[in-house]
Amino acid sequence: MLLPLLISLALATDTLQKDSMRTDTMREVVVYSPQGLPVNKALDRSLKRWKEGRVNIPSLGKVLEKLSPGINDKITHPFAIKDRKREKSRKHRLRGLEHFDQVKTFKDLLYEAYIQQMREDSIERANKAAKP
């Protein structure tokens, strides 16, 4: 007795009933890829290699190098700390030297300022000569 009353109340307050259609008007579309998905191609190639026995199984060293470069050296040569520290400080010094080479000297800056001043003076003289 209470259930039909709730259903009729829900239908009366439903706004979708008034402004939308109750049937599906969308057409079904099926899309086919002409060559198949790239994932399927990759799986087919790997299965083909597996059947032929040409499977490339990476070694532990290759996996370690891919996950963390330099870890294999640290594991196999744990006492080469001094060499690694020397290489790190060498790289740091080389970066400093590269930066030092890029910095302009006082003489270069003075020459650039002189050229800029000459340009501004010649433009000013040309403007004065153009105005009678």
Side-chain angles (χ1 to χ4, degrees):
M1 181 95 152
L2 186 61
L3 186 62
L5 181 64
L6 290 176
I7 292 174
S8 65
L9 181 63
L11 289 175
T13 59
D14 187 17
T15 59
L16 287 176
Q17 185 178 13
K18 297 173 188 166
D19 21 343
S20 65
M21 298 178 68
R22 289 284 178 193
T23 60
D24 187 14
T25 58
M26 300 286 289
R27 291 187 322 196
E28 183 176 334
V29 177
V30 179
V31 178
Y32 294 102
S33 175
Q35 302 158 344
L37 296 174
V39 174
N40 292 339
K41 286 182 182 179
L43 286 173
D44 290 341
R45 283 194 305 261
S46 64
L47 288 174
K48 190 176 183 182
R49 280 194 309 244
W50 180 264
K51 289 177 185 174
E52 293 174 359
R54 294 186 299 132
V55 180
N56 185 15
I57 299 173
S59 66
L60 178 62
K62 288 181 182 178
V63 172
L64 287 175
E65 281 299 318
K66 190 164 192 161
L67 291 176
S68 176
I71 193 75
N72 197 21
D73 179 51
K74 292 174 184 170
I75 291 172
T76 55
H77 303 97
F79 301 112
I81 296 169
K82 191 183 287 184
D83 295 337
R84 287 192 286 273
K85 196 180 280 188
R86 187 181 311 126
E87 186 63 30
K88 186 177 177 182
S89 66
R90 182 177 177 274
K91 283 183 185 176
H92 184 69
R93 284 192 308 265
L94 285 176
R95 260 188 265 124
L97 287 174
E98 287 173 5
H99 177 69
F100 184 75
D101 288 341
Q102 293 172 354
V103 173
K104 294 182 180 179
T105 63
F106 178 74
K107 189 175 183 179
D108 295 336
L109 294 172
L110 186 63
Y111 182 72
E112 287 178 7
Y114 172 74
I115 296 295
Q116 181 67 28
Q117 188 64 42
M118 292 294 288
R119 277 195 204 117
E120 290 173 3
D121 290 344
S122 65
I123 290 171
E124 189 176 322
R125 271 189 255 125
N127 286 339
K128 283 184 182 179
K131 291 182 183 177

